Amino acid sequence: MTLNFRKTGTGKPLVILHGLFGSADNWMSIAKGLEENFTLYLLDQRNHGDSPHSDTWNYKAMAEDLKEFMEAEGLQKASFLGHSMGGKTVMKFALTYPEMVDKLVVADIAPRPYPVHHQTILEALNAVDIKSLASRKEAEDKLAEYIPERGIRQFLLKNLTRKEGVFAWKVNLPIITKQIENVGEKITADKPFSGPALFMGGANSDYIKSSDKEEIAALFPDHHIIHIKNTGHWLHAEQPEAVIATLKTFLGT
């Protein structure tokens, strides 16, 4: 699958992957803070953003998408940064194709399985009658019946597009709804990834727990685990300067 992506900056290649319901644009502010030292590739994962839709949606397929992207761009090796779902994708890729990975950064996710916890968001998105939708305001009003947090609604509404006067979701909502369990699946491998790996969590998030250290160490023996102060799961949006500084220190400039 040929993924949509945005490219910026000059220097060593760094590939960035967003999380569930996200897109490449989510990490543009971080990319701007790194573009003097890195050539950044911000990808839309399959069934997200402007990348193609597919009935196949799992980490094996998404890791293969990354390999295809690398080959298409003539990149033999790069560093990778993935947030949440994107973090699991880059973990799977590094464990499958270690020779193509320089350094690995996993943002607020661990290899362990996670229970499905996006039911309310999926209910909200599916409650929007997209075929008869007349305005973005109408969509937000419907989402507000399920999601009180305006910030989350605005994030989700970035997936709403309009072509020739007709609204549509950029995300492949039917497949994501049907296969949502796949996003929480455990990442496993026969051999560990021996390269440097940074697990960067939010101090106010419980996505990376102290109990995850043993499993992380088994798959990524050369790892560091840090937590960014005063931030939750959306660490790149809540503390961008701290995230940029942490990335520069780990990746080198």
Side-chain angles (χ1 to χ4, degrees), residues 1-7 14-19 22-28 40-46 48-51 62 65-70 73 75 80-81 85-86 89-90:
M1 176 177 289
T2 302
L3 300 179
N4 179 67
F5 69 95
R6 299 180 66 172
K7 181 180 178 181
L14 172 61
V15 179
I16 301 180
L17 270 66
H18 60 82
S23 68
D25 290 349
N26 298 156
W27 283 81
M28 277 306 297
L40 298 123
Y41 300 86
L42 296 93
L43 278 58
D44 288 333
Q45 298 194 79
R46 64 168 57 200
H48 288 74
D50 294 319
S51 283
M62 289 189 276
D65 291 343
L66 266 186
K67 182 174 185 288
E68 185 176 335
F69 162 78
M70 292 284 285
E73 289 300 301
L75 297 172
F80 291 81
L81 161 62
M85 178 184 77
T89 301
V90 298

Side-chain angles (χ1 to χ4, degrees), residues 175-193:
I175 291 299
I176 292 175
T177 301
K178 185 178 180 180
Q179 302 182 23
I180 189 62
E181 293 86 359
N182 291 352
V183 80
E185 71 180 12
K186 182 177 181 178
I187 300 299
T188 61
D190 295 330
K191 295 181 179 180
F193 171 70

Side-chain angles (χ1 to χ4, degrees), residues 18-19 23 26 61 71 78 84 89 98 130 153 185 197 212 226 232 238 242 247:
H18 60 82
S23 68
N26 298 156
E71 292 172 344
S84 199
T89 301
I130 199 74
R153 296 199 303 270
E185 71 180 12
D212 293 320
I226 67 163
E238 296 173 35
L247 291 172

Side-chain angles (χ1 to χ4, degrees), residues 34 42 68 87 184 199 206 219 237:
L34 298 170
L42 296 93
E68 185 176 335
F199 284 75
D206 63 355
L219 291 174

Side-chain angles (χ1 to χ4, degrees), residues 150-163:
R150 185 174 183 273
I152 295 177
R153 296 199 303 270
Q154 292 300 311
F155 167 72
L156 294 172
L157 285 169
K158 290 181 179 179
N159 288 295
L160 189 62
T161 187
R162 192 171 191 172
K163 297 179 181 179

Side-chain angles (χ1 to χ4, degrees), residues 120 124 140 142-153:
T120 301
E140 181 169 9
K142 177 56 69 173
L143 293 182
E145 296 177 14
Y146 299 80
I147 304 167
E149 301 88 353
R150 185 174 183 273
I152 295 177
R153 296 199 303 270

